[in-house]
Amino acid sequence: VLTEIAAGAPEMLFFPIFQPEGDFIVQQASDVAGMDGITLMAADGLMVSNFMEIPETAGMYFSGPDLRYGFNKNQRVIGSSPESFLSLYVVQYGEKPSAAFWAHSFDATTLLLDAIEAASYVDDDGTLVIDRAGVREFLSNVQGYSGLTGTLSCDAFGDCGSQKITVIGHANSSDVDGSLENVIYEYSPAGGNQVGELMVPLTATWRGVTADSIHIATTTIDFEWLVENGFSPEGWGDQELVWQTMVDDLNARGGINGRQVVLDAVRPFSAIPGFGISADAVCLEVAGDFETFAVLGGFLGPAEISNICIPGQQNTVLLGGRMDAERLGQVQAPWIMDGTMVNRRMEVFLSLLDQNGLIEGRKFVVIGRDDTEETYNTAREGMAALGADVVLELLSDQTGGDT
């Protein structure tokens, strides 16, 4: 069937069917020549959690009932609301309703109970009599009934629904609830409107990014070598376990924009150039040998200069390390760090002090080191401009560890 469909070169395949046939279509479509790039769309019969959780359903559209019930209440049940019903359902059954029509079932049940009450009586011998014609007559005359699904009025054909449907975009098979809320198009008897953005099909867009995955690598200080050689009393624990746990948690929550994150490598480096595992060699491996989109962690300590290798020579996104204006000018790929560049940090610090009235009229001592003279000069000049009373200035040639 799919082969015949592909031969017609359609732009969309709409299959308003049920499981298990729907499962077969979505799982086989990618293996059929000519089906690439065809948008798949199903109806409410497949808008159920166990179908939408199939990985191949990501990127599909579904037409079905408008599930945006807000604060609607059912007039028969005091204190009723969509939220309270779902909470009680989860308590009773341990999960949310899998299909989309749970609120419609609730409203239909209360309408029928109201109709039975209106069209029933107990005869002289105590028998309960339910007048079926009376039930039909009651339902045919329902107007302005407040339900969970909205305001209901029954027509001559017995249709009592709120007559609102939507089209949703199913971007992530790991986040069905998010997809059910992702309304693209809405329709009611008053008309239809596009209210959301069409989904962009996921494709291989960059090195390390495929249609369903984002590949990363991480770096970490080689504490095992430092401890063995007496440079550190202890390490940071199992770093591979730390990074993998973070990735697993991210993927369990849906990944990133419908893609799962793949951790290709966790590589240790020596923070002391000339000893142990070279940071430059690690750069060539994690950003060169592997097809990675980004490297997390970067290089610290005296090995910081090797950070340039990742977003520079290897043109790979780097999250971590320490940058300054000079290093940033030598790279092409994005470089992100969790802080402020050294030559900007003092300006920010002085600005915060000034905003809180902690500079003007106060006495200060400014102490710096030869290797941080730029920051020292920024502090000295900035304080003078802000009205500080600098009583002592000292620029030392001693390193941080010697002072």
Side-chain angles (χ1 to χ4, degrees), residues 320-344:
R322 295 288 182 267
M323 71 173 77
D324 57 30
E326 181 181 354
R327 294 174 183 173
L328 198 59
Q330 300 178 57
V331 305
Q332 297 79 46
W335 184 355
I336 305 165
M337 73 173 189
D338 59 344
T340 308
M341 288 191 295
V342 173
N343 52 342
R344 281 273 301 134

Side-chain angles (χ1 to χ4, degrees), residues 85-99:
F85 174 84
L86 289 175
S87 297
L88 290 173
Y89 190 98
V90 171
V91 170
Q92 181 69 31
Y93 299 104
E95 61 181 359
K96 291 183 178 180
S98 62

Side-chain angles (χ1 to χ4, degrees), residues 263-280:
L263 179 59
D264 287 329
V266 177
R267 291 294 183 264
F269 67 91
S270 172
I272 306 175
F275 297 89
I277 303 173
S278 164
D280 285 338

Side-chain angles (χ1 to χ4, degrees), residues 239-261:
Q239 287 299 292
E240 186 167 352
L241 176 62
V242 170
W243 284 108
Q244 190 61 59
T245 300
M246 182 198 75
V247 169
D248 290 344
D249 177 69
L250 179 62
N251 288 333
R253 290 184 283 114
I256 299 176
N257 292 334
R259 293 182 174 93
Q260 294 285 286
V261 177

Side-chain angles (χ1 to χ4, degrees), residues 24 42 57 79 85 97 125 178 183-184 269 292 301 321 329 338 340 355:
F24 302 149
T57 63
F85 174 84
D125 64 1
V183 176
I184 308 297
F269 67 91
T292 53
D338 59 344
T340 308
Q355 291 173 39

